[in-house]
Amino acid sequence: MIEVAPPLEDATWHRLSPRMLLVHPVVELLRALPALAGVVLAGSSNGHGSRWGLVAVGVVAVLSLSRWFTTRLRISDDQVQLRHGLLRRRTTATRRDRIRTVDVTAHPLHRVLGLARVVIGTGTSDRRGGGRIVLDGLTVDAARALHADLLHRASPAAEPTAGPVAGGAPEPAHEIARLDRRWIRYGPFTLSGVLTGLVLFGFLQRLQGESGVDVLHSGPWRTITRDIAGWPTPVVVGVVALALIAFVAISSTAGYVLAFWNFRLVRHDGGTLQVTRGLVTTRATSIERRRLVGAEISEPLVLRAVGGARSTVVATGLRVGRGAERGGEVLLPPAPKADAERVATAVLDGTPAITAELVRHGPRARTRRLIRAVASALLLLGLLVLGYLSGGSTVVIGVGAVLVVASVPLGTDRYRSLGHAAVDGYLVTRFGSLVRRRVVLDGDAVIGWNLRTSFFQRRAGLTTLTATTAAGRQGYSVVDVAPAEALAVAETLVPGLLSPFVRVPRPTPRATAG
C-alpha cells in the first residue's frame, strides 16, 4: 500500500492497497456474468453445469487477482509511473507538468473498504484513454493527498504554501453552485433513460446469445405478450408508448439522482475549480483555471421546452464526446437556464459573453436550413415509399408524411438557433436544434482558423468559420455566415493571423457586445 506524503520523491515501486484483492474478483465476476451463465447452461445439457460454472468462476477469480500482483506504482518528484500487465507488461509514465486534471472516484465497494480510484489526465489522446493514468486502489487518505499534491505541483504559478498539500491546511474555497433538489424535476427531460434502456436491451441480447435462452419469450414476458396479443392495435400501441414514456421518465430521474446527488462546484483561492458529485459512486474532479478556456450551454430539445439547460466547461485535458454524465466537464447538471448561465459567467470571471446578444445569420442561412431539413425528410419519404411498394405497411407512408411536415418547423428552429458574436475577447457561437449549443471560447485559445465552403454554400454566398483549439472538441464553428463577416470575426479575435494571406474587411461596430 502506498502512502503519499511530501516531497513524493521515491525511486521504489509500490503495490496498490491489498484491499483490492477483495474488489477485483467481485468486479470481474459481475462483468463476466453473462458468459458464466452461458457456461452453466451449456454444461447443463450433460449434467455438469454446476461443475463447469465453478471452474469458470475460479478462472475469472484467479485472473482478476493477478491484476493486483502485476501492478506497480512509482511517484517521483517529476513523474508518475504505472506498470501493469500479466502476459504483456506495460509501463505508463507522465510528467507532473503535463498533468491537466485529477479525478477521484469511489464506487460502493471502494467506499466500504476505504478505497478510491484516481484518474490522472494529461490532455493527450484522452478520448481513447491514451492520455490517462488510472490508479485503482489507493486508500482514501492517500488518494486525497495525491490529488492535492499533483494539482499543486502541476501548476508552475502556484505559491509554495498554496493548495491542500498532504499534512497541510486545506485551501480556502468559494462555493459557486450546489445542487438544488428542485432541479430533479428536470431529470425526466434529460432522456438519459433511453440510454439505460439500450444498455438493458444489449445485456439481454448478450445473455440470450451466450445462453441460448430467449428471454423475451419466456417466463413473465411470454405471459404478457400472450395477454396483449388479442388487444386492438391502437390500444397496444398506446399502452406500449405510455410504458416506454414511464420507463424513460423514471430511469432518467433515477440516473439524474445517481449522477448529481450532492453536486457542488467550488473555486479554490488558487483558481482551481473542483466538482464533486454522485450518490452511489462519488466523484471529485479538479480543473486548473489556466486550463479553462471557455464554457458551453447546451439545451436538448425536450429540456429546452421546459426552460432547462446544462453547463459544461471547455478546457484542455478533459474527456469529451461521452456525455456530460460520464465525462469530467460538467459545470452544472440540468437546471434552469438562468442558473446555467449564472454558473458559466462566474466560472469565466464574470464575462458578459455568456448572455450577450448574438448576430443573426440572415435570410440566405434561413433558406439553407429549410432546404436541408425538407430535402432530408423528402429523401426519407422516398425510401419509405419504396418500402411500401415492396409490400410494406401503409403506416410508413403516414410516418414519412409527418416527418416532411415536421421538417419545416425543424428547419426554422435550426435557423433561429444560429448566431455569433465577438465579445470581451471571446468567440460566441450558437447552433443546433435537437441540441442547441452556445459555446463561449477565449480568443487566446484559438490556434487557427478554418474557412470551409461547400458547393451549395458558394452558390448562397455563405461559408463556415471554424476556430481550431487544443481544448474541448478541438474545433468550434460559426455556420452559414457571410465570408466578409467570418473574416472580420477572425481578425477581431486574433489580429494578424489571417491578414497576411486574406484581405480582411474592417470589423464593423457591434451593438451586441454589451
Side-chain angles (χ1 to χ4, degrees), residues 366-444:
R366 179 179 59 223
T367 301
R368 265 185 53 80
R369 296 296 100 189
L370 288 171
I371 290 176
R372 286 167 62 92
V374 174
S376 299
L378 289 175
L379 177 61
L380 181 59
L381 177 60
L383 295 176
L384 293 176
V385 170
L386 290 177
Y388 168 72
L389 295 177
S390 300
S393 172
T394 56
V395 176
V396 298
I397 303 297
V399 172
V402 170
L403 291 177
V404 172
V405 174
S407 65
V408 175
L410 176 63
T412 302
D413 184 66
R414 292 185 64 189
Y415 163 71
R416 290 176 177 173
S417 297
L418 294 180
H420 71 277
V423 181
D424 195 31
Y426 287 90
L427 170 67
V428 186
T429 178
R430 191 179 65 189
F431 54 89
S433 179
L434 296 180
V435 179
R436 176 182 290 178
R437 305 180 188 276
R438 181 185 179 116
V439 179
V440 178
L441 179 67
D442 192 340
D444 292 337

Side-chain angles (χ1 to χ4, degrees), residues 258-317:
L258 290 173
F260 299 115
W261 192 255
N262 293 326
F263 176 90
R264 188 167 179 255
L265 171 65
V266 300
R267 171 183 279 146
H268 296 284
D269 284 352
T272 300
L273 293 175
Q274 185 175 43
V275 177
T276 56
R277 60 188 176 93
L279 179 62
V280 177
T281 299
T282 58
R283 167 172 295 179
T285 302
S286 297
I287 310 166
E288 291 181 278
R289 179 61 181 90
R290 65 194 181 101
R291 309 297 180 189
L292 177 63
V293 298
E296 177 180 311
I297 306 294
S298 60
E299 304 171 76
L301 183 61
V302 180
L303 186 60
R304 176 163 36 119
V306 294
R310 61 164 58 99
S311 181
T312 56
V313 67
V314 179
T316 57

Side-chain angles (χ1 to χ4, degrees), residues 324-501:
E325 287 79 8
R326 294 187 60 187
E329 69 270 21
V330 177
L331 282 179
L332 195 72
K337 183 180 178 181
D339 288 310
E341 293 175 339
R342 174 186 61 82
V343 169
T345 300
V347 166
L348 296 183
D349 304 321
T351 177
I354 297 295
T355 56
E357 185 179 352
L358 302 182
V359 178
R360 304 297 292 270
H361 285 198
R364 289 177 294 178
R366 179 179 59 223
T367 301
R368 265 185 53 80
R369 296 296 100 189
L370 288 171
I371 290 176
R372 286 167 62 92
V374 174
S376 299
L378 289 175
L379 177 61
L380 181 59
L381 177 60
L383 295 176
L384 293 176
V385 170
L386 290 177
Y388 168 72
L389 295 177
S390 300
S393 172
T394 56
V395 176
V396 298
I397 303 297
V399 172
V402 170
L403 291 177
V404 172
V405 174
S407 65
V408 175
L410 176 63
T412 302
D413 184 66
R414 292 185 64 189
Y415 163 71
R416 290 176 177 173
S417 297
L418 294 180
H420 71 277
V423 181
D424 195 31
Y426 287 90
L427 170 67
V428 186
T429 178
R430 191 179 65 189
F431 54 89
S433 179
L434 296 180
V435 179
R436 176 182 290 178
R437 305 180 188 276
R438 181 185 179 116
V439 179
V440 178
L441 179 67
D442 192 340
D444 292 337
V446 177
I447 60 178
W449 297 102
N450 181 14
L451 285 172
R452 186 179 68 253
T453 307
S454 68
F455 171 77
F456 295 103
Q457 281 181 314
R458 286 197 301 270
R459 293 179 62 87
L462 300 172
T463 189
T464 295
L465 173 69
T466 300
T468 305
T469 178
R473 303 178 188 276
Q474 282 78 57
Y476 296 94
S477 298
V478 181
V479 182
D480 283 349
V481 67
E485 177 67 14
L487 296 174
V489 169
E491 185 66 10
T492 299
L493 291 169
V494 189
L497 186 59
L498 286 180
S499 56
F501 312 100

Side-chain angles (χ1 to χ4, degrees), residues 22-24 26-27 106-115 280:
L22 300 175
V23 176
H24 286 317
V26 175
V27 173
H107 297 287
L109 190 54
H110 284 69
R111 293 165 66 180
V112 170
L113 297 175
L115 299 174
V280 177

Side-chain angles (χ1 to χ4, degrees), residues 28 83 134 159 175 214 251 308 321 354 373 399 423 436 448 465 479:
E28 297 302 326
R83 178 181 294 171
V134 180
E159 296 295 331
E175 184 175 275
D214 191 349
S251 57
I354 297 295
V399 172
V423 181
R436 176 182 290 178
L465 173 69
V479 182

Side-chain angles (χ1 to χ4, degrees), residues 29 35-41 43-44 47-62:
L29 287 173
L36 294 175
V39 170
V40 172
L41 292 175
S44 300
H48 299 291
S50 59
R51 182 180 303 175
W52 281 105
L54 290 175
V55 171
V57 169
V59 171
V60 172
V62 170

